[in-house]
Amino acid sequence: MNPIPYTPDLISMVVGAVISLLFNYFPGLNTWFSALRTEVKSFIMIGLLAVASVAIYLLSLYGIVEISQPVDWVLVLRTFILAVVANQSAYVIAPQTSAVKAAKQ
């Protein structure tokens, strides 16, 4: 049986989805985040995903995450895009809690 290869693509998608779920379900964080303006929420989420992409790049650069391609700016861009896709997919699919619905009003 082959183990799952922990590639930068897989890691970025998991991180993107986990960030979305944390901001949707973690008590206290979810109500604070949902009460913010849409522009502020977008800026926070994009910033966190950018930081995660750079962290994945650095993990790949220093050999912590094994990768079979050159480690360059294309890796950062690809991992960022995959993280955004996973983040927004998880946000759309996950049902909102009653606390989040109340905080949005």
Side-chain angles (χ1 to χ4, degrees):
M1 205 165 160
N2 293 335
I4 297 173
Y6 292 100
T7 63
D9 296 344
L10 176 65
I11 294 170
S12 66
M13 293 180 74
V14 169
V15 167
V18 167
I19 288 173
S20 178
L21 294 174
L22 279 175
F23 278 89
N24 201 19
Y25 291 112
F26 197 77
L29 181 62
N30 62 355
T31 53
W32 169 79
F33 188 71
S34 62
L36 297 173
R37 291 190 345 238
T38 304
E39 300 84 16
V40 175
K41 289 193 281 189
S42 296
F43 180 74
I44 290 171
M45 202 57 69
I46 292 291
L48 286 173
L49 295 174
V51 168
S53 296
V54 170
I56 292 167
Y57 166 77
L58 292 173
L59 290 172
S60 300
L61 184 67
Y62 291 111
I64 297 170
V65 175
E66 293 186 23
I67 187 166
S68 62
Q69 65 187 29
V71 178
D72 56 4
W73 65 271
V74 175
L75 176 68
V76 176
L77 184 60
R78 189 178 71 232
T79 57
F80 177 72
I81 290 170
L82 289 173
V84 169
V85 168
N87 181 275
Q88 291 304 297
S89 298
Y91 177 76
V92 169
I93 291 171
Q96 291 182 350
T97 62
S98 57
V100 169
K101 288 179 185 176
K104 284 186 176 181
Q105 295 176 355

